[in-house]
Amino acid sequence: MKVLILHPSSRYDRYLPDIPAAGRMELVFTDREGPEERWLAAGGDAEALVAAPVTPVTEELIARMPHLKLIHSDGVGYDRIDLAAARERGIYVCNCAGCNAGPVAELAVTLMSMLLHRTLWGDRMVRAGQQHEAVNELAAHVPEDLSTCRVGLVGFGAIGQATAQRLRANGSEVFYYARHRQDPAVEEACGARYLPLYELAETCDIISLHLPAMPESTHLLDRAFFGRMRPGSYLVNTARGAVIDDAALCEAIRSGRLAGAALDAYDPEPVTAEHPLVRLAAECPDRLILCPHQGGISHAAFREAARMVFADLEKLMDGKRPERVVNGL
């Protein structure tokens, strides 16, 4: 079975799982940046396509790969894949749900703490030779501890649950909102309580996003949501940029409604210097933390993603339905 992988071979040289089926596959690697003509020249006759979550897999590309049976995101996101075009052709679309749950949860909790303790501001003050002034400022306006905060998670899949478990161990009071409420046993194991979306905004000191970019979640956090958030609260987004109405977030930061935000995802990506949130960070350098979408970049996440991808490829090669199908086939 021929597999076209839109990644340099160096990644899979390191993380390719030790399974016999991998040796029976023809793996073709190419640059994930495209153009599509390069991909088609390398593997237009492939039966399976593996792509990064940020790589567009368009209707045109799918149409020009006549033998395609499976498209696999090698991360959690799959919103850049044309699901309708794949479904019409009977092509499975899969992702690696949960592969990066631990690393992303760690980043989310770290960013919460950085916002509360004004880490960027403190770093800038020390670099400027103003350590004494910084200590006096913090003593005069003592920050909250994460352990005393109410944290609200929007989305409660694998990453949301991993975040809740870390917050629970820290002593934080944790709440969550999701379209489908989890079983009581899951809530108890994670130490999290369910609240409706706006009640979550009104209750919590920190809101952290852990849901995919789908039509129903696009701009879920809009002006109305930010208007319900507690004055002086914080926002963390390690999910997808499209979940946030950027204009509404900028307004909430500028007005002081939100004390700060930490972001690891943007809409669109790659983000440019002209993006409104990047420009806002120049205006408010101590209130915004901008990360380069790094939450899922770790040895553990890459290793687990490769295991999941090749487990599904093995099933396909054996004539079975892959395990991680997300387009309903």
Side-chain angles (χ1 to χ4, degrees):
M1 184 175 74
K2 189 171 184 176
V3 182
L4 177 62
I5 300 178
L6 307 184
H7 266 302
S9 61
S10 56
R11 172 164 168 177
Y12 283 87
D13 288 343
R14 183 165 193 170
Y15 299 110
L16 188 70
D18 184 19
I19 59 173
R24 296 188 282 129
M25 300 174 191
E26 180 187 355
L27 305 181
V28 179
F29 299 91
T30 186
D31 187 347
R32 77 177 192 180
E33 302 301 329
E36 289 185 1
E37 293 298 334
R38 181 187 301 161
W39 301 340
L40 292 167
D45 58 342
E47 295 176 65
L49 173 65
V50 180
V54 296
T55 300
V57 179
T58 65
E59 179 181 9
E60 180 183 3
L61 178 64
I62 293 169
R64 295 177 69 185
M65 298 185 69
H67 305 293
L68 197 59
K69 298 177 182 177
L70 169 66
I71 302 168
H72 210 305
S73 165
D74 64 2
V76 175
Y78 53 90
D79 50 292
R80 305 299 298 275
I81 300 171
D82 193 320
L83 299 179
R87 184 180 176 84
E88 187 175 342
R89 280 265 311 275
I91 298 168
Y92 296 117
V93 176
C94 298
N95 76 332
C96 297
C99 70
N100 58 5
V104 176
E106 288 179 16
L107 178 63
V109 174
T110 298
L111 292 174
M112 294 175 200
S113 184
M114 289 179 68
L115 285 170
L116 288 169
H117 294 283
R118 301 171 62 186
T119 304
L120 287 186
W121 170 83
D123 175 84
R124 180 174 59 80
M125 292 291 284
V126 172
R127 288 172 187 264
Q130 297 179 300
Q131 179 186 2
H132 183 68
E133 292 84 349
V135 170
N136 287 340
E137 166 68 14
L138 290 171
H141 302 91
V142 180
E144 292 291 338
D145 291 328
L146 186 55
S147 62
T148 65
C149 288
R150 292 183 169 186
V151 182
L153 308 177
V154 180
F156 205 59
I159 297 174
Q161 291 174 33
T163 304
Q165 290 166 351
R166 285 158 173 76
L167 289 166
R168 180 189 193 184
N170 192 63
S172 305
E173 194 171 1
V174 184
F175 303 86
Y176 80 95
Y177 164 80
R179 286 199 305 152
H180 304 290
R181 184 170 179 176
Q182 287 285 350
D183 292 337
V186 174
E187 294 181 348
E188 183 177 357
C190 295
R193 286 180 281 168
Y194 175 86
L195 288 177
L197 183 62
Y198 281 170
E199 190 174 342
L200 190 83
E202 295 165 349
T203 300
C204 295
D205 306 296
I206 301 169
I207 298 293
S208 185
L209 305 186
H210 303 282
L211 70 170
M214 304 295 286
E216 57 270 22
S217 65
T218 299
H219 290 186
L220 181 66
L221 270 65
D222 55 11
R223 183 173 286 105
F225 181 90
F226 291 125
R228 298 289 190 100
M229 285 183 68
R230 294 166 59 88
S233 56
Y234 298 91
L235 175 71
V236 173
N237 184 13
T238 55
R240 287 291 182 268
V243 177
I244 297 174
D245 180 336
D246 290 338
L249 174 57
C250 289
E251 181 181 305
I253 294 286
R254 286 194 177 100
S255 70
R257 180 83 187 188
L258 268 64
L263 311 172
D264 191 40
Y266 312 89
D267 185 33
E269 290 190 26
V271 71
T272 70
E274 297 307 311
H275 192 285
L277 290 169
V278 178
R279 298 179 69 174
L280 180 64
E283 298 175 31
C284 312
D286 301 328
R287 297 174 59 200
L288 267 80
I289 300 172
L290 304 184
C291 299
H293 208 147
Q294 69 191 72
I297 300 177
S298 77
H299 290 307
F302 285 175
R303 191 175 298 109
E304 180 64 4
R307 184 195 66 77
M308 291 179 171
V309 167
F310 277 87
D312 282 334
L313 290 173
E314 182 177 28
K315 284 184 177 292
L316 183 73
M317 191 165 57
D318 292 341
K320 300 175 182 177
R321 181 181 182 273
E323 181 179 343
R324 300 167 182 85
V325 177
V326 295
N327 65 334
L329 293 179

